[in-house]
Amino acid sequence: MAEDRSPRLLWTDEGEPRSGRFDDVYFSREDGLAEARAVFLAGCSLPEAWNGRGRFTVAELGFGTGLNIAALLHLWRREGPPGARLNLFSVEGFPLTRDDAARALAAWPDVAEAARALLDVWPATTPGFHRLDLPDFGATLDLAVGDVVWALSRWTGRADAWFLDGFAPSTNPAMWSEAVLDGIAARSAPGARAATFTVAGAVRRGLAERGFTVEKRPGHGRKRERLEARAPGTAVDPAAVSPVALVGAGIAGAALARAFAALGVRATVIEADRPGAGGSGFPAGLVTPRLDVGDGEIAGLYAQALERAVALYAAVPGAVVARGVLQLEQSPRDARRFRAIPGQDLWPAGAMTALDAAACADRLGEPATGGGLWMEEAMAVRPAAILDAWLAAADRIVATVGRIEPAGRGWALLDEAGEAIIEAGAVVVAAGWGTAALASHLPLSPVQGQADWVEGVRTDPVAWGGYAVPTGSGLLFGATHDRGETGGLPTAGASARNLATLAARLPRLAAGIARAGPTRARTAVRATTPDRLPLAGVLAPGLFVLGGLGSRGFCAAPLLAEHVAALATDTPSPLPASSAARVDPLRFAVGEGLVEPAGKADG
């Protein structure tokens, strides 16, 4: 049974939101905004503390209604350094729904625009990390829903300022525990400032014992005093990001181009052929998660990846072809898994629904041999629209990368003749199966697949051992799955196999394709890893990889690209540290010298 994470919200006669769980108000309706500004903004010396900074990170314990963040965004847009980026991290154990937050924030018209921006991206209340984009404010918010110690242990950022806004220590002691104070100290940048309404002795002593200079200040309103604290050291703005080169122009390279652009960095993409020349070049793609009922970390990783991919693709004009995907059972094991998955607290209500054969038949429009899982949030997309939109944020060089070598303070990309293509301070290899040629010690294996498509035939997205995906004007179906094969061309035999695979599950649809006329076909090679998890992270200082995405590239690439871009720019990652460890490219202990002279790398 899922844990009860409701705040048990109540509304006082004065219209103040109150947590029944902690028997305390979120703010005073009379002066809640003024209190946020006095206690947290002024308490952290904002805006003075961010003057001259290119990036600034604020962490908050107790997201609540979002009022503190709305006040901060309002101030940042008016008085933030020109062109600077604001990174926000907040923790909430018992999140409000969007409707309740909207009702609460409506009391403060002075920050209405910032409140509306928050409400427009208000996340599901599911546990885990949720990345929220606030582009009109030059900001990004990572909201961690869950236990505060868990969240702090998995956040990889370093805060320049802390808003310590949990409910009072007397009613919510877990928010002020020794473990929490340890997490604050561990995740503070030099010179970090902290502010809180409480002057409880345990909080004062706890911060002081961890090196903070702590001072009482006059309180606000009915509160006589408040605390301000400062970590040792001097605040230092991170160095400017070096030039960034991305090898590959498939979904991984495109997602990286977008992620770096969102951080204010225009990368250069090097690709031997056209965008999508590899596995991202089919007329449609499925955005579906890897499902796992035995490994919560993997399940959580893909739940977060799906949420992020859906949000980003929805913002690309023409990218989304269809919403919702039916996954059919292939075995009794699938039937058990599909019944268990909707009970995982990773998914919003209604996102996953186990269906019996009759319900599947209703969706398919023809008899079904078993049940399935309806994935409400999954989707079919048009890859070309995504690649075109995201690669426009980068410069492009058409060349074949044959070798990557250290050069000065960065890396040199050389062609097959040994001639220099570009030098960059940071390089990300995201070349699909071509990554194996440039990083030969990575445990990548090829899987060649052929898919076919036909015009004039339509069905909703459905998958099993095969798949059928609408393209907008027709239907993509397949695919063959030939391990160890590379470089093959489409064949009539593979097309026949794809049609037979479809006919075995959906005979009426297969008959419609046969009547529609000739199909077109294409092959591509995907790269997989021994544990079927991607490679996303550091290979060597300044050298990174995003690969091994297998058949989940359109689901995993957007989130993992943001993770790699964060590593390359020393900014907070959206990925919990525990998930980052599962996709760390060095997890296989492959040793030194990962990058060696090699041949062609196509994206």
Side-chain angles (χ1 to χ4, degrees), residues 186 267 384 398 437 598:
V398 179

Side-chain angles (χ1 to χ4, degrees), residues 56-143:
F56 198 81
T57 299
V58 177
E60 176 187 50
L61 304 188
F63 180 67
T65 65
L67 179 59
N68 292 338
I69 298 299
L72 174 62
L73 290 171
H74 179 78
L75 180 65
W76 177 261
R77 185 151 75 171
R78 288 191 298 112
E79 300 191 41
R85 295 285 308 173
L86 178 63
N87 303 306
L88 305 170
F89 175 73
S90 189
V91 182
E92 179 56 58
F94 306 96
L96 273 67
T97 66
R98 182 194 180 282
D99 289 346
D100 285 334
R103 179 178 174 183
L105 292 171
W108 313 111
D110 192 36
V111 293
E113 288 189 37
R116 185 163 53 250
L118 279 176
L119 293 168
D120 285 346
V121 293
W122 200 265
T125 58
T126 52
F129 280 32
H130 304 267
R131 171 152 285 194
L132 312 177
D133 297 311
L134 300 159
D136 292 343
F137 293 82
T140 301
L141 168 63
D142 290 313
L143 178 61

Side-chain angles (χ1 to χ4, degrees), residues 577-592:
S578 51
S579 295
R582 298 298 293 270
V583 297
D584 188 330
L586 303 184
R587 66 186 182 272
F588 297 104
V590 294
E592 301 296 327

Side-chain angles (χ1 to χ4, degrees), residues 449-502:
Q450 175 177 318
D452 292 68
W453 65 96
V454 65
E455 298 298 312
V457 178
R458 168 82 192 205
T459 191
D460 292 331
V462 56
W464 60 100
Y467 57 76
V469 188
T471 65
S473 60
L475 192 71
L476 178 76
F477 63 98
T480 59
H481 193 83
D482 299 320
R483 294 186 180 277
E485 298 295 324
T486 61
L489 297 174
T491 66
S495 294
R497 287 162 57 195
N498 282 336
L499 191 59
T501 297
L502 183 65

Side-chain angles (χ1 to χ4, degrees), residues 298-366:
I298 293 176
L301 169 64
Y302 277 93
Q304 184 186 6
L306 178 64
E307 178 184 65
R308 192 65 180 134
V310 167
L312 291 173
Y313 294 148
V316 177
V320 180
V321 178
R323 295 178 181 270
V325 176
L326 177 60
Q327 182 79 36
L328 297 176
E329 295 171 1
Q330 297 184 71
S331 68
R333 175 176 175 271
D334 281 340
R336 291 191 297 272
R337 285 197 312 139
F338 292 175
R339 288 193 297 270
I341 285 166
Q344 293 177 310
D345 62 2
L346 303 166
W347 312 106
M352 296 287 177
T353 305
L355 303 179
D356 60 17
C360 289
D362 286 342
R363 288 191 175 274
L364 295 168
E366 61 177 290

